[in-house]
Amino acid sequence: MGKVMSMVARKANRFNVENRAHRVLEREKPMPAPKYESNLRDMERTLELDPKFVDKLNIKDDGLNTRLKDVYVTSEDQFIERVIKRQAATAASEEKQERPLPLERTTPDDFEYGYLEPERVAHGRCTLRQALQFINDHQLDPETYTASKIANDYKLKQDHLENILYYFKTFSVYIPDQKYKDTLLTRAKQELLERKTSPEDAESSKP
């Protein structure tokens, strides 16, 4: 229902719209928009101060018109000229000499820890290499490499270092002995074979 009413209202608004527009344009003066009370009060105060204010607005001021004709704007920006000169110089240099190819074409090696380590380390800080070193030392020999000794050697705060040693550990790689592994597998296979070939199992398997 609402859609039907909107279609009817739209057609009613567009009915004879061209003739109505011409009638509005043929009027001598268009109907002014309503003014707010604040605008009316401002206009009253302006007329009290200058009763001829409306007449001044309707009269052309020759002095203002003359001064407006004397106003002009000039631009002294040389950006475009500098760009053109730079492009011309670049083209001329490319014509004179070609860019030399690099002498070394090998790919640079990656850093060990993925970043370039600083040559100087501030007090209270350490690099990743140093952290792995003293964590590993403490993990292998905690009595010799104590927290106080490492803090003095690397100039770190002892409480921070104790937290590092407590929460971070290095990985330990365990490689089993292949011979021992083969022996265990062999023993297991032997026991399995013995169970399958035992006479008790053979009798129990008969119907």
Side-chain angles (χ1 to χ4, degrees):
M1 187 65 181
K3 185 176 181 180
V4 175
M5 293 299 295
S6 63
M7 292 177 63
V8 172
R10 192 181 302 113
K11 290 183 178 180
N13 292 331
R14 294 177 180 177
F15 176 73
N16 200 16
V17 64
E18 187 174 354
N19 293 334
R20 287 185 289 161
H22 283 297
R23 285 199 298 269
V24 172
L25 294 175
E26 288 174 356
R27 294 176 184 174
E28 294 182 359
K29 290 185 179 181
M31 184 180 298
K35 296 182 179 180
Y36 293 99
E37 294 182 0
S38 58
N39 295 338
L40 295 175
R41 289 194 296 270
D42 293 337
M43 184 62 69
E44 291 177 357
R45 286 194 295 270
T46 303
L47 293 175
E48 290 177 358
L49 296 174
D50 189 1
K52 298 181 180 180
F53 178 74
V54 178
D55 297 336
K56 290 181 180 179
L57 293 177
N58 296 327
I59 296 174
K60 182 178 180 180
D61 193 340
D62 296 332
L64 292 177
N65 191 23
T66 303
R67 288 194 292 272
L68 184 60
K69 292 180 180 179
D70 296 337
V71 175
Y72 61 93
V73 179
T74 58
S75 177
E76 297 179 358
D77 190 5
Q78 300 178 355
F79 174 74
I80 299 176
E81 295 180 1
R82 291 197 300 268
V83 172
I84 295 173
K85 290 180 180 178
R86 191 183 301 112
Q87 292 177 352
T90 305
S93 62
E94 290 179 355
E95 291 178 359
K96 290 181 180 179
Q97 57 181 359
E98 296 181 356
R99 184 178 180 183
L101 296 174
L103 300 177
E104 185 178 357
R105 299 177 179 86
T106 58
T107 304
D109 298 333
D110 294 333
F111 299 109
E112 184 176 359
Y113 295 103
Y115 70 97
L116 178 62
E117 295 184 2
E119 297 179 357
R120 297 178 60 186
V121 182
H123 294 301
R125 299 181 182 277
C126 65
T127 61
L128 182 59
R129 184 189 300 275
Q130 293 174 348
L132 293 174
Q133 182 63 40
F134 65 70
I135 289 172
N136 188 38
D137 293 340
H138 178 76
Q139 191 170 345
L140 295 176
D141 191 0
E143 296 181 357
T144 303
Y145 296 96
T146 59
S148 59
K149 183 180 184 305
I150 297 173
N152 293 329
D153 294 342
Y154 291 91
K155 297 180 177 57
L156 300 173
K157 293 183 179 180
Q158 187 170 352
D159 53 349
H160 292 176
L161 187 60
E162 290 176 354
N163 292 332
I164 293 172
L165 297 176
Y166 180 78
Y167 289 105
F168 294 94
K169 302 291 182 182
T170 56
F171 290 106
S172 297
V173 180
Y174 175 72
I175 302 175
D177 190 0
Q178 190 66 26
K179 295 181 180 179
Y180 180 68
K181 184 178 180 181
D182 294 341
T183 304
L184 291 176
L185 291 175
T186 304
R187 288 179 181 177
K189 288 180 180 180
Q190 288 177 357
E191 292 177 358
L192 183 60
L193 291 174
E194 290 175 358
R195 291 177 183 177
K196 287 183 178 181
T197 57
S198 62
E200 297 177 355
D201 295 339
E203 292 179 358
S204 61
S205 62
K206 291 182 180 180

